[in-house]
Amino acid sequence: MPAFGKLALAAAVLLTAACGAPPAAPAPPPGTAAAGWSPAPVVPLPSQPPPSLVVDAPLPVQLAMGLVVLRYRAENLRIVPVYGPAALDVSPRIGHIHVTVDDAAWHWADGSGEPLIIQSLPAGPHKVWIGLADPTHKILDEKTVNFVVPVHSGHH
């Protein structure tokens, strides 16, 4: 088949595939965020739903290596390292997390929004408490993740 014929055939296949594709999802109504998306954090919001915290369970493959990686996300709150009473007036809402491992008497605060990485826990059952906090450290939502670190050898 000549090169031009192959090109025409390829174009016809692409056109057929494009025409047979399902229609795109409808755009959200004006003034609302797309499903699964938070509003763009560029303008103050007149009202906001309560913030909530979502935490994934650690992955078994990483646990087998003695590494606990906990992904989390905040809904209706942006995780940023900004603290103090003046930050309560920021809109969209901002905050950070507090983390406690195995009911320790202390916790740490994190404003990075990055996954939590905990290593060198001994084999056995553990729990990590994560509190979603406002800039004044008031807990707005919380989750506890229970998991078992298996006996492992070596380092990651």
Side-chain angles (χ1 to χ4, degrees):
M1 177 179 287
F4 179 74
K6 289 181 183 176
L7 183 60
L9 178 61
V13 169
L14 287 174
L15 182 59
T16 301
C19 290
T32 64
W37 286 59
S38 298
V42 294
V43 295
L45 299 175
S47 66
Q48 299 177 73
S52 62
L53 180 64
V54 178
V55 182
D56 289 344
L59 296 174
V61 172
Q62 292 161 333
L63 276 178
M65 296 185 299
L67 183 64
V68 180
V69 178
L70 297 172
R71 277 189 338 168
Y72 68 90
R73 74 175 187 277
E75 295 180 343
N76 306 312
L77 180 144
R78 289 184 308 139
I79 301 288
V80 294
V82 177
Y83 307 94
L88 290 173
D89 294 331
V90 173
S91 177
R93 185 184 297 120
I94 60 174
H96 59 281
I97 61 169
H98 290 189
V99 182
T100 301
V101 178
D102 292 337
D103 293 321
W106 54 271
H107 67 268
W108 76 87
D110 180 70
S112 72
E114 295 295 323
L116 297 172
I117 300 172
I118 305 165
Q119 58 186 4
S120 302
L121 289 176
H126 297 279
K127 66 180 174 179
V128 174
W129 173 86
I130 304 170
L132 186 62
D134 74 10
T136 64
H137 305 284
K138 176 185 171 195
I139 301 301
L140 305 170
D141 192 15
E142 60 185 289
K143 298 288 187 273
T144 299
V145 179
N146 294 290
F147 55 90
V148 175
V149 173
V151 175
H152 63 281
S153 61
H155 296 284
H156 42 274

